[in-house]
Structures are given as structure tokens and as C-alpha cells.
Amino acid sequence: MCRSRPLLGMADRTVLVVGGGGREHALCMALSSSSHVEAVHCAPGNGGTSELATNHAISASDLSSLVELAKRIDASLVVVGPEAPLCDALADKLSAIGIPCFGPVQALAELEGSKLHAKNVMRIAGVPTADFHVLDANSDIQSALDDFQGQPWVVKRDVLAGGKGVVVTSDRSEAQAFIESSIQSDGKVLLEAFLQGEEASMLVVMDGSGFVCLPPSQDHKRAYNGDEGPNTGGMGAYCPAPVVTPDVHSRTVETIVKPMHAYLSSQPVPYRGVLYVGLMIPENGAPSVVEFNVRFGDPECQITLPLIKSDVYELLHASATDGLSDYDAEFHDTHALTVVLASEGYPASPIKGRAITGLPMPMNTAWINHAGTAFDEEGTLISSGGRVLTCTALGLTLSIAAERAYAMIEAIELEGSHFRTDIGHRAL
Ligand code: AMP
Ligand code: GLY
């Protein structure tokens, strides 16, 4: 049962969504269908958000302009899509002027900003994760590599690196080279034990009073079919992910979510926002944490929000104002799948500025979220990024959702573009 919070009135609320990708388009869609929301603003937004929200040409890194905008439009909630503004203290600045922010303060955004910090928090909270070494210019790199011999080496930079900070390799010289270059640029680097298993993403909406686990999903990070090719921001995802069985789910809650929530809600300012728990699930079903992000995943957001039956504004506003203990979220018993259409050359060097045509009309069960799109001076929709758009569909089964999403993406024309044709393959 989902109880409306007494403080929320009719459709008189104004929301600001920060960011400009597929995730933010999905957030604008969900928020604009809330019975509480009168107006959605997005900064900077994209071609898709412009149809639902007022776009503002303010970069997600221009914090003072974002705060000014939130004041000017009298936002009752700011929802922050990407991690960088949170790591730069956007939530702290909004809190200082009394505007609720969905997204944690800077000190807690460090869970994503620094992998070493995340490891230290997991150690304090007793949360299972891979063993690791911290290496710096004085370390014996060969002996550290020997410690994890016999399995691929996992090397992680300790900075926000936009998805390019991790190398997993069985080639010792490649691991060594990445360790050395990371120490040179960052002063230190993590060398982590390789975890066997299947990955899944658990998004947990939290505040100081409680937490709500959203249905678990699975992303496809490699560029090409069969999980081949370079790592990307994500080429498609589906939800729920059956690898998270009821048993794995309850182990995740008991061994990861509850201890993290206990730790985060004991901090001077509690965690208000969504904690993205990247899980590795081995055959014995005992999950451990691969990474934390302090925001919705992209494209996980596109397939998770549509499964929330409760009013999304209520949920996010409750989290931003410590109201989750009063909140029971409801979910649809259905499946969602999304496929990313990427520009030619993505991820290495995407070609932008090409016309996009043939976009199918949205339906109740299938629609498009724009990511890297814009309108040129003649009003033609063009590509403006590596991940151009995501086609999302719902279905009573995952294969119906997949059929619908692929029917959409196949209709779209963008010269040189590519997409994976096997999204959901582990579950289908
Ligand atoms: P991260 O940015 O930490 O999520 O790492 C990016 C990707 O590298 C993950 O999604 C995994 O596929 C892989 N990875 C990271 N850490 C490990 C690990 N300890 N064992 C196996 N694979 C890993
Ligand atoms: N899809 C992975 C991420 O958002 O980090």
C-alpha cells in the first residue's frame, strides 16, 4: 500500500531534474506523470526532455546557476541524475537554502567519488566485497600482482573516471601498465581480487528513516553481442533480473543494504537519494559488492522507474525529506527491457551531428528515451552523443518486452549507428 504523504497537495509542485541523458529523460517522464507535479524543468536536458519539461541551457557542472534556477522556479524538489554535481556538493548547497534534493551530500557521494573510500566504508559496515591492495609509488607491484595470480587482475583508479577507470585483464603486463599509469596520474590505485559470478544492479532509495529496494536489474556493459568488445556506459538492461532470486534478494538486504543503511543514517547528514549497489552473485548465492554509485544507473533507470506503481514524485520527495519510514512503495508485476542505440564509433570516438529519422510513435507499452539528441537550427533531430537513445518496452514476459523494444529500435534510422541484439540473453 502506498500512502500519500499529508504534506503533498494537488498538482502544484515544480521539479528540477539535473542532467541530460536517457536517465534524465526517464525521470522527466515519470515525474511529469505524477499527480503532484505541475511543471518539470531540466538542466541541461536533451531533445526528448524538451517535449515534457522546460530545458535550461545550464550545464550539470554549473552549480551556482543550478541553485539560482532552483530558487527562481521555486522548486519543491531537485532530482540529480549524474554523480559529478553530487561529488561537487550540489545537495549541500541546496540544503543550505532549504530546497529538498534527491541525491546525497558531498561527504556521502564519496562512495562513488572514491573507490578506496567505498572500500573503507564497507570494511566499517562489514559489507562483503573483494579483497584489495592499495598501491602507490613505494609499493612492490610485482608481489601485489603475485597475490592475485591465477585469476584476471582487477585494477581500479581512485577517481571519477566516467566508466574508464577499471581494467579487468588476464594480461599481467597490461595490468602492470595500468597500475603504473594510474599511480603516476592519481598517486595511488586499487588492485582487487577477481570476483566470479553474474552481475546485477540493486537500486535502493534511502533516507535517514528507511529504505525502499527497487526491483533488481541487469545491465550489459560491453559494446557488442555476447558481452564482447570494450566497456561502455551500458548498452541495454532489463528488470527484474532473475539472477536475484528471492534468496539472493534477502541475502543482499541482510548483508549489504541494512548495514549500509545503518552506517549512512548514522552520519551527520543521512543519505538521501538512491544508492546503486553493483552486485556480483556467485553460484553459492552469497552476493558481494562490486561498486556503489550514488545515483540511478543509466540505462537501469529507464527500466526501473516504469515498474514503480507508486507515484514517483512521492517516493523521491519522501527520500529527500526523510519520509521513507512512512512509505510503502508498490511495484508493477511486469517486465521491462531497454536497448541503447549508439553512434558510429561509440564508445571510442562517436560520430555526432547526424540526422535521426523514423522514430516510432510512443505507446503505453513501448517508448523512446532520448540520451544524446538535440535539434539543429532547422529543427531536425540529430545525434549529439555516443549513446543516442534507448528504446524501452514493457511486457507480461521478458520476451514480449524484448520484442517490443526491438521493433522500435529497428525502425529508427541513424547512419552508422549500432545496437546489441541480445539484451536480456541471460534471462531469455
Ligand atoms: P566498477 O566501475 O567498479 O563497477 O567496475 C566496472 C566493471 O568491472 C564491473 O561492472 C565489472 O564487470 C568489472 N569488475 C569490477 N570489479 C570486479 C571484480 N572485483 N571482479 C570481477 N569483475 C569486476
Ligand atoms: N549502467 C551503469 C551505470 O550507470 O553506472
Side-chain angles (χ1 to χ4, degrees), residues 23 219 221 233-234 276 291 293 295-300 387:
R23 165 181 54 208
D219 185 18
K221 290 208 171 98
Y276 171 129
E291 64 164 339
N293 295 321
R295 47 157 178 94
F296 282 111
D298 188 341
E300 288 96 329
R387 289 190 292 174

Side-chain angles (χ1 to χ4, degrees), residues 151-172:
Q151 52 187 353
W153 288 280
V154 181
V155 185
K156 297 188 173 181
R157 291 182 63 193
D158 193 34
V159 291
L160 274 186
K164 298 196 175 77
V166 177
V167 164
V168 181
T169 178
S170 299
D171 178 342
R172 188 174 174 119

Side-chain angles (χ1 to χ4, degrees), residues 115 119 129-131 152-156 163-168 192-197 199 219 221-222 231 276 278-280 289-293:
K115 288 185 188 289
K119 286 288 195 189
T129 186
D131 288 340
W153 288 280
V154 181
V155 185
K156 297 188 173 181
K164 298 196 175 77
V166 177
V167 164
V168 181
E192 197 173 288
F194 182 79
L195 296 167
Q196 300 278 357
E199 287 180 73
D219 185 18
K221 290 208 171 98
R222 300 301 191 105
N231 249 325
Y276 171 129
L279 293 170
M280 188 68 83
V289 174
V290 174
E291 64 164 339
F292 288 125
N293 295 321

Side-chain angles (χ1 to χ4, degrees), residues 6-17:
L7 283 177
L8 295 177
M10 297 307 289
D12 57 358
R13 301 304 176 103
T14 297
V15 189
L16 171 61
V17 174

